[in-house]
Amino acid sequence: MQKVKIPVTLDPARAAQKRSSYDGVVPLKNLSRLSEQLLDTSSEVTVRIDCDIDEQKLVVLSGEAHCDVQVSCERCQQPMSLSLHCQFAFTPVRSDNTALDHIPERYDVVVPDEHGEVNLQQMVEDELILTLPMYPVHDESFCSAPDQLNSFGVVIDEPEKPNPFAVLQELKKK
């Protein structure tokens, strides 16, 4: 199958009227904010986007994105592989639109630019960033971090102090 690049921007209203679908790739190096958090940006994100109009006559951009990335383990600082997968559903809304209350919860809102277009790559990048773990770490059985890193000092046993209520306990027994 030939790898087709997803367009950078898209007029969502026009694409929804045509019921357009886009199935292709976005190079990771084009997603600068996501690339900052990765060790290798040579791979690609596989993206599928479907444009449609729902029963409320809202323009909907739905789809999914998938990619395999290399990040640094926060515990041992060694490379680790992650598989990122996200599904999304957006509806474009003008920033001055007061109809935000009538948008169903299943849709996220995206604001088109001054030309009425939506940046698809930025939209996909945002969703992939949200799927990244905040602190990526290997499974403990595979992590090469020494066990000493998991301890944070020595706990000193305190001498046992006499219980101030012991006197009351003795009185209760009498």
Side-chain angles (χ1 to χ4, degrees), residues 50-75:
D50 298 316
C51 308
D52 204 358
I53 298 175
D54 73 355
E55 57 276 350
Q56 291 181 336
K57 306 294 184 217
L58 291 173
V59 173
V60 177
L61 304 174
S62 62
E64 59 186 338
H66 175 78
C67 66
D68 295 320
V69 296
Q70 289 281 324
V71 295
S72 179
C73 173
E74 292 292 322
R75 194 175 2 211

PDB file of all heavy atoms in Angstrom, residues 50-75:
ATOM      1  N   ASP A  50     -12.037  10.836   9.070  1.00  0.00           N
ATOM      2  CA  ASP A  50     -13.298  10.824   8.335  1.00  0.00           C
ATOM      3  C   ASP A  50     -14.040  12.131   8.606  1.00  0.00           C
ATOM      4  O   ASP A  50     -14.174  12.543   9.762  1.00  0.00           O
ATOM      5  CB  ASP A  50     -14.176   9.646   8.778  1.00  0.00           C
ATOM      6  CG  ASP A  50     -13.518   8.311   8.503  1.00  0.00           C
ATOM      7  OD1 ASP A  50     -12.959   8.147   7.406  1.00  0.00           O
ATOM      8  OD2 ASP A  50     -13.559   7.437   9.395  1.00  0.00           O
ATOM      9  N   CYS A  51     -14.522  12.758   7.546  1.00  0.00           N
ATOM     10  CA  CYS A  51     -15.259  14.013   7.669  1.00  0.00           C
ATOM     11  C   CYS A  51     -16.723  13.730   7.389  1.00  0.00           C
ATOM     12  O   CYS A  51     -17.049  13.071   6.399  1.00  0.00           O
ATOM     13  CB  CYS A  51     -14.736  15.047   6.684  1.00  0.00           C
ATOM     14  SG  CYS A  51     -12.958  15.283   6.778  1.00  0.00           S
ATOM     15  N   ASP A  52     -17.590  14.227   8.256  1.00  0.00           N
ATOM     16  CA  ASP A  52     -19.012  13.899   8.134  1.00  0.00           C
ATOM     17  C   ASP A  52     -19.853  14.998   8.777  1.00  0.00           C
ATOM     18  O   ASP A  52     -19.332  15.873   9.459  1.00  0.00           O
ATOM     19  CB  ASP A  52     -19.275  12.556   8.823  1.00  0.00           C
ATOM     20  CG  ASP A  52     -20.507  11.854   8.300  1.00  0.00           C
ATOM     21  OD1 ASP A  52     -21.199  12.412   7.424  1.00  0.00           O
ATOM     22  OD2 ASP A  52     -20.774  10.734   8.771  1.00  0.00           O
ATOM     23  N   ILE A  53     -21.145  14.901   8.573  1.00  0.00           N
ATOM     24  CA  ILE A  53     -22.113  15.775   9.230  1.00  0.00           C
ATOM     25  C   ILE A  53     -23.025  14.874  10.041  1.00  0.00           C
ATOM     26  O   ILE A  53     -23.595  13.918   9.517  1.00  0.00           O
ATOM     27  CB  ILE A  53     -22.920  16.597   8.192  1.00  0.00           C
ATOM     28  CG1 ILE A  53     -21.969  17.495   7.406  1.00  0.00           C
ATOM     29  CG2 ILE A  53     -24.002  17.412   8.888  1.00  0.00           C
ATOM     30  CD1 ILE A  53     -22.618  18.274   6.282  1.00  0.00           C
ATOM     31  N   ASP A  54     -23.146  15.169  11.350  1.00  0.00           N
ATOM     32  CA  ASP A  54     -23.944  14.294  12.211  1.00  0.00           C
ATOM     33  C   ASP A  54     -25.424  14.662  12.182  1.00  0.00           C
ATOM     34  O   ASP A  54     -25.854  15.536  11.427  1.00  0.00           O
ATOM     35  CB  ASP A  54     -23.386  14.273  13.638  1.00  0.00           C
ATOM     36  CG  ASP A  54     -23.646  15.546  14.409  1.00  0.00           C
ATOM     37  OD1 ASP A  54     -24.181  16.518  13.829  1.00  0.00           O
ATOM     38  OD2 ASP A  54     -23.321  15.580  15.608  1.00  0.00           O
ATOM     39  N   GLU A  55     -26.211  13.984  13.023  1.00  0.00           N
ATOM     40  CA  GLU A  55     -27.660  14.187  13.033  1.00  0.00           C
ATOM     41  C   GLU A  55     -28.074  15.568  13.531  1.00  0.00           C
ATOM     42  O   GLU A  55     -29.188  16.011  13.278  1.00  0.00           O
ATOM     43  CB  GLU A  55     -28.359  13.089  13.859  1.00  0.00           C
ATOM     44  CG  GLU A  55     -27.895  12.964  15.293  1.00  0.00           C
ATOM     45  CD  GLU A  55     -26.650  12.109  15.453  1.00  0.00           C
ATOM     46  OE1 GLU A  55     -26.214  11.444  14.501  1.00  0.00           O
ATOM     47  OE2 GLU A  55     -26.080  12.142  16.557  1.00  0.00           O
ATOM     48  N   GLN A  56     -27.174  16.275  14.230  1.00  0.00           N
ATOM     49  CA  GLN A  56     -27.460  17.639  14.674  1.00  0.00           C
ATOM     50  C   GLN A  56     -26.972  18.675  13.667  1.00  0.00           C
ATOM     51  O   GLN A  56     -26.941  19.867  13.963  1.00  0.00           O
ATOM     52  CB  GLN A  56     -26.802  17.919  16.024  1.00  0.00           C
ATOM     53  CG  GLN A  56     -27.403  17.177  17.169  1.00  0.00           C
ATOM     54  CD  GLN A  56     -26.702  17.530  18.479  1.00  0.00           C
ATOM     55  OE1 GLN A  56     -25.560  17.951  18.497  1.00  0.00           O
ATOM     56  NE2 GLN A  56     -27.417  17.353  19.567  1.00  0.00           N
ATOM     57  N   LYS A  57     -26.548  18.210  12.512  1.00  0.00           N
ATOM     58  CA  LYS A  57     -26.000  19.056  11.448  1.00  0.00           C
ATOM     59  C   LYS A  57     -24.681  19.714  11.837  1.00  0.00           C
ATOM     60  O   LYS A  57     -24.345  20.785  11.362  1.00  0.00           O
ATOM     61  CB  LYS A  57     -27.009  20.139  11.014  1.00  0.00           C
ATOM     62  CG  LYS A  57     -28.368  19.624  10.614  1.00  0.00           C
ATOM     63  CD  LYS A  57     -28.272  18.786   9.372  1.00  0.00           C
ATOM     64  CE  LYS A  57     -29.681  18.367   8.945  1.00  0.00           C
ATOM     65  NZ  LYS A  57     -29.734  17.050   8.422  1.00  0.00           N
ATOM     66  N   LEU A  58     -23.925  19.050  12.718  1.00  0.00           N
ATOM     67  CA  LEU A  58     -22.595  19.521  13.090  1.00  0.00           C
ATOM     68  C   LEU A  58     -21.564  18.855  12.198  1.00  0.00           C
ATOM     69  O   LEU A  58     -21.649  17.662  11.909  1.00  0.00           O
ATOM     70  CB  LEU A  58     -22.283  19.170  14.551  1.00  0.00           C
ATOM     71  CG  LEU A  58     -23.065  19.884  15.637  1.00  0.00           C
ATOM     72  CD1 LEU A  58     -22.744  19.283  16.993  1.00  0.00           C
ATOM     73  CD2 LEU A  58     -22.770  21.363  15.626  1.00  0.00           C
ATOM     74  N   VAL A  59     -20.580  19.625  11.788  1.00  0.00           N
ATOM     75  CA  VAL A  59     -19.453  19.078  11.036  1.00  0.00           C
ATOM     76  C   VAL A  59     -18.579  18.306  12.018  1.00  0.00           C
ATOM     77  O   VAL A  59     -18.255  18.800  13.095  1.00  0.00           O
ATOM     78  CB  VAL A  59     -18.646  20.202  10.364  1.00  0.00           C
ATOM     79  CG1 VAL A  59     -17.381  19.658   9.733  1.00  0.00           C
ATOM     80  CG2 VAL A  59     -19.503  20.919   9.335  1.00  0.00           C
ATOM     81  N   VAL A  60     -18.228  17.072  11.650  1.00  0.00           N
ATOM     82  CA  VAL A  60     -17.456  16.224  12.549  1.00  0.00           C
ATOM     83  C   VAL A  60     -16.222  15.690  11.822  1.00  0.00           C
ATOM     84  O   VAL A  60     -16.317  15.179  10.705  1.00  0.00           O
ATOM     85  CB  VAL A  60     -18.308  15.039  13.053  1.00  0.00           C
ATOM     86  CG1 VAL A  60     -17.485  14.124  13.939  1.00  0.00           C
ATOM     87  CG2 VAL A  60     -19.537  15.535  13.780  1.00  0.00           C
ATOM     88  N   LEU A  61     -15.069  15.828  12.488  1.00  0.00           N
ATOM     89  CA  LEU A  61     -13.822  15.227  12.021  1.00  0.00           C
ATOM     90  C   LEU A  61     -13.471  14.145  13.026  1.00  0.00           C
ATOM     91  O   LEU A  61     -13.125  14.444  14.170  1.00  0.00           O
ATOM     92  CB  LEU A  61     -12.699  16.263  11.966  1.00  0.00           C
ATOM     93  CG  LEU A  61     -12.938  17.511  11.120  1.00  0.00           C
ATOM     94  CD1 LEU A  61     -11.802  18.492  11.298  1.00  0.00           C
ATOM     95  CD2 LEU A  61     -13.104  17.133   9.672  1.00  0.00           C
ATOM     96  N   SER A  62     -13.593  12.903  12.622  1.00  0.00           N
ATOM     97  CA  SER A  62     -13.301  11.801  13.545  1.00  0.00           C
ATOM     98  C   SER A  62     -12.243  10.899  12.925  1.00  0.00           C
ATOM     99  O   SER A  62     -12.058  10.887  11.716  1.00  0.00           O
ATOM    100  CB  SER A  62     -14.569  11.003  13.854  1.00  0.00           C
ATOM    101  OG  SER A  62     -15.077  10.433  12.671  1.00  0.00           O
ATOM    102  N   GLY A  63     -11.588  10.152  13.794  1.00  0.00           N
ATOM    103  CA  GLY A  63     -10.573   9.245  13.282  1.00  0.00           C
ATOM    104  C   GLY A  63      -9.698   8.699  14.371  1.00  0.00           C
ATOM    105  O   GLY A  63     -10.051   8.710  15.554  1.00  0.00           O
ATOM    106  N   GLU A  64      -8.531   8.227  13.946  1.00  0.00           N
ATOM    107  CA  GLU A  64      -7.584   7.649  14.885  1.00  0.00           C
ATOM    108  C   GLU A  64      -6.171   7.839  14.357  1.00  0.00           C
ATOM    109  O   GLU A  64      -5.963   8.057  13.164  1.00  0.00           O
ATOM    110  CB  GLU A  64      -7.882   6.178  15.142  1.00  0.00           C
ATOM    111  CG  GLU A  64      -7.847   5.300  13.913  1.00  0.00           C
ATOM    112  CD  GLU A  64      -8.281   3.877  14.202  1.00  0.00           C
ATOM    113  OE1 GLU A  64      -8.207   3.446  15.361  1.00  0.00           O
ATOM    114  OE2 GLU A  64      -8.679   3.202  13.257  1.00  0.00           O
ATOM    115  N   ALA A  65      -5.221   7.767  15.290  1.00  0.00           N
ATOM    116  CA  ALA A  65      -3.810   7.884  14.939  1.00  0.00           C
ATOM    117  C   ALA A  65      -3.039   6.837  15.724  1.00  0.00           C
ATOM    118  O   ALA A  65      -3.387   6.511  16.862  1.00  0.00           O
ATOM    119  CB  ALA A  65      -3.295   9.281  15.267  1.00  0.00           C
ATOM    120  N   HIS A  66      -1.984   6.317  15.106  1.00  0.00           N
ATOM    121  CA  HIS A  66      -1.176   5.274  15.732  1.00  0.00           C
ATOM    122  C   HIS A  66       0.286   5.465  15.330  1.00  0.00           C
ATOM    123  O   HIS A  66       0.589   5.747  14.168  1.00  0.00           O
ATOM    124  CB  HIS A  66      -1.649   3.882  15.293  1.00  0.00           C
ATOM    125  CG  HIS A  66      -0.775   2.790  15.804  1.00  0.00           C
ATOM    126  ND1 HIS A  66      -0.833   2.332  17.094  1.00  0.00           N
ATOM    127  CD2 HIS A  66       0.211   2.090  15.193  1.00  0.00           C
ATOM    128  CE1 HIS A  66       0.076   1.380  17.259  1.00  0.00           C
ATOM    129  NE2 HIS A  66       0.719   1.214  16.111  1.00  0.00           N
ATOM    130  N   CYS A  67       1.179   5.309  16.316  1.00  0.00           N
ATOM    131  CA  CYS A  67       2.612   5.321  16.004  1.00  0.00           C
ATOM    132  C   CYS A  67       3.383   4.619  17.117  1.00  0.00           C
ATOM    133  O   CYS A  67       2.914   4.503  18.242  1.00  0.00           O
ATOM    134  CB  CYS A  67       3.138   6.743  15.807  1.00  0.00           C
ATOM    135  SG  CYS A  67       3.096   7.760  17.268  1.00  0.00           S
ATOM    136  N   ASP A  68       4.555   4.112  16.758  1.00  0.00           N
ATOM    137  CA  ASP A  68       5.479   3.509  17.715  1.00  0.00           C
ATOM    138  C   ASP A  68       6.627   4.492  17.891  1.00  0.00           C
ATOM    139  O   ASP A  68       7.215   4.947  16.901  1.00  0.00           O
ATOM    140  CB  ASP A  68       5.987   2.165  17.205  1.00  0.00           C
ATOM    141  CG  ASP A  68       4.862   1.142  17.110  1.00  0.00           C
ATOM    142  OD1 ASP A  68       4.007   1.128  18.019  1.00  0.00           O
ATOM    143  OD2 ASP A  68       4.833   0.374  16.131  1.00  0.00           O
ATOM    144  N   VAL A  69       6.924   4.824  19.144  1.00  0.00           N
ATOM    145  CA  VAL A  69       7.944   5.836  19.434  1.00  0.00           C
ATOM    146  C   VAL A  69       8.963   5.319  20.438  1.00  0.00           C
ATOM    147  O   VAL A  69       8.724   4.332  21.129  1.00  0.00           O
ATOM    148  CB  VAL A  69       7.298   7.136  19.967  1.00  0.00           C
ATOM    149  CG1 VAL A  69       6.409   7.770  18.918  1.00  0.00           C
ATOM    150  CG2 VAL A  69       6.527   6.887  21.246  1.00  0.00           C
ATOM    151  N   GLN A  70      10.085   6.004  20.512  1.00  0.00           N
ATOM    152  CA  GLN A  70      11.146   5.717  21.477  1.00  0.00           C
ATOM    153  C   GLN A  70      11.246   6.903  22.430  1.00  0.00           C
ATOM    154  O   GLN A  70      11.424   8.040  21.994  1.00  0.00           O
ATOM    155  CB  GLN A  70      12.489   5.549  20.774  1.00  0.00           C
ATOM    156  CG  GLN A  70      12.628   4.294  19.967  1.00  0.00           C
ATOM    157  CD  GLN A  70      12.940   3.109  20.852  1.00  0.00           C
ATOM    158  OE1 GLN A  70      13.651   3.214  21.824  1.00  0.00           O
ATOM    159  NE2 GLN A  70      12.378   1.969  20.500  1.00  0.00           N
ATOM    160  N   VAL A  71      11.098   6.630  23.735  1.00  0.00           N
ATOM    161  CA  VAL A  71      11.252   7.657  24.764  1.00  0.00           C
ATOM    162  C   VAL A  71      12.295   7.186  25.769  1.00  0.00           C
ATOM    163  O   VAL A  71      12.718   6.036  25.741  1.00  0.00           O
ATOM    164  CB  VAL A  71       9.909   7.951  25.484  1.00  0.00           C
ATOM    165  CG1 VAL A  71       8.902   8.558  24.530  1.00  0.00           C
ATOM    166  CG2 VAL A  71       9.350   6.711  26.138  1.00  0.00           C
ATOM    167  N   SER A  72      12.670   8.063  26.663  1.00  0.00           N
ATOM    168  CA  SER A  72      13.643   7.724  27.694  1.00  0.00           C
ATOM    169  C   SER A  72      12.901   7.339  28.971  1.00  0.00           C
ATOM    170  O   SER A  72      12.007   8.051  29.423  1.00  0.00           O
ATOM    171  CB  SER A  72      14.532   8.943  27.954  1.00  0.00           C
ATOM    172  OG  SER A  72      15.464   8.664  28.960  1.00  0.00           O
ATOM    173  N   CYS A  73      13.285   6.198  29.546  1.00  0.00           N
ATOM    174  CA  CYS A  73      12.698   5.748  30.809  1.00  0.00           C
ATOM    175  C   CYS A  73      13.113   6.728  31.901  1.00  0.00           C
ATOM    176  O   CYS A  73      14.289   7.048  32.037  1.00  0.00           O
ATOM    177  CB  CYS A  73      13.179   4.338  31.137  1.00  0.00           C
ATOM    178  SG  CYS A  73      12.696   3.750  32.773  1.00  0.00           S
ATOM    179  N   GLU A  74      12.163   7.197  32.673  1.00  0.00           N
ATOM    180  CA  GLU A  74      12.450   8.168  33.722  1.00  0.00           C
ATOM    181  C   GLU A  74      13.222   7.557  34.894  1.00  0.00           C
ATOM    182  O   GLU A  74      13.835   8.270  35.669  1.00  0.00           O
ATOM    183  CB  GLU A  74      11.157   8.787  34.247  1.00  0.00           C
ATOM    184  CG  GLU A  74      10.450   9.670  33.252  1.00  0.00           C
ATOM    185  CD  GLU A  74      11.206  10.946  32.945  1.00  0.00           C
ATOM    186  OE1 GLU A  74      11.816  11.521  33.862  1.00  0.00           O
ATOM    187  OE2 GLU A  74      11.193  11.358  31.775  1.00  0.00           O
ATOM    188  N   ARG A  75      13.193   6.240  35.013  1.00  0.00           N
ATOM    189  CA  ARG A  75      13.852   5.580  36.131  1.00  0.00           C
ATOM    190  C   ARG A  75      15.307   5.248  35.800  1.00  0.00           C
ATOM    191  O   ARG A  75      16.208   5.550  36.559  1.00  0.00           O
ATOM    192  CB  ARG A  75      13.085   4.311  36.501  1.00  0.00           C
ATOM    193  CG  ARG A  75      13.457   3.728  37.804  1.00  0.00           C
ATOM    194  CD  ARG A  75      12.590   2.551  38.185  1.00  0.00           C
ATOM    195  NE  ARG A  75      11.600   2.208  37.194  1.00  0.00           N
ATOM    196  CZ  ARG A  75      10.414   1.689  37.466  1.00  0.00           C
ATOM    197  NH1 ARG A  75      10.090   1.445  38.697  1.00  0.00           N
ATOM    198  NH2 ARG A  75       9.562   1.389  36.521  1.00  0.00           N
TER     199      ARG A  75
END
